[in-house]
Amino acid sequence: MKIRKGDLVKITAGKDKGREGKVERVFSRESRVLVPGVNQYKKHIKPQGEGRPGDIVTLSRPMPMGNVALICPKCKQVTRVGYQVTGEKKVRICRKCMNLI
Ligand SMILES: [Zn+2]
C-alpha cells in the first residue's frame, strides 16, 4: 500500500482536484482513502421522532487512491513512492528527494 494513514496528499482528480489533506483512513480492500473535508456530500437525516429532528450533515466519502498523490513530508513536493529493501525491511522512499518517508 503506497498511501498510509496520516500521509499528506494532493487530490489529482475529481471535484476537489488541487486540494490537499491528511489521510484519515485507508481502505486497502477497496483501494480508497478517506481525506476529511475532501469528496464531501450532504447526507439528509430523517427526523427520528420527538426531540430528534431531521438534519443535513456534510460527510466525506473515501476516494480512489489513484485520485490522490503523496506529498513528501521531507521535500514538500508531490511525489511517487518508491521502495528500498534494507535487509528484511522494506522502507518507503520519496522518488524526488530519495529520503525515507
Ligand atoms: Zn521528498
Side-chain angles (χ1 to χ4, degrees):
M1 206 50 57
K2 300 209 162 179
I3 306 280
R4 290 180 194 156
K5 184 182 169 183
D7 279 348
L8 193 64
V9 292
K10 192 174 190 120
I11 315 306
T12 57
K15 66 181 171 125
D16 291 308
K17 188 175 171 177
R19 292 185 55 190
E20 292 173 8
K22 210 171 201 162
V23 175
E24 189 177 275
R25 278 191 73 181
V26 176
F27 303 88
S28 40
R29 205 153 31 98
E30 294 100 344
S31 288
R32 283 174 182 268
V33 290
L34 180 67
V35 184
V38 172
N39 205 27
Q40 289 187 322
Y41 70 104
K42 287 192 166 36
K43 186 178 182 182
H44 297 251
I45 297 169
K46 277 188 198 162
Q48 303 286 324
E50 204 68 35
R52 295 188 62 189
D55 201 2
I56 301 170
V57 292
T58 308
L59 297 169
S60 285
R61 263 195 191 108
M63 60 191 306
M65 221 172 264
N67 289 4
V68 304
L70 184 70
I71 297 172
C72 171
K74 297 267 166 66
C75 63
K76 314 286 179 210
Q77 291 186 82
V78 170
T79 186
R80 285 189 303 139
V81 176
Y83 288 98
Q84 211 170 50
V85 180
T86 46
E88 300 258 300
K89 237 174 147 190
K90 200 167 155 191
V91 293
R92 215 167 56 146
I93 55 164
C94 166
R95 286 237 191 248
K96 292 246 167 84
C97 65
M98 304 310 276
N99 270 310
L100 258 68
I101 49 172

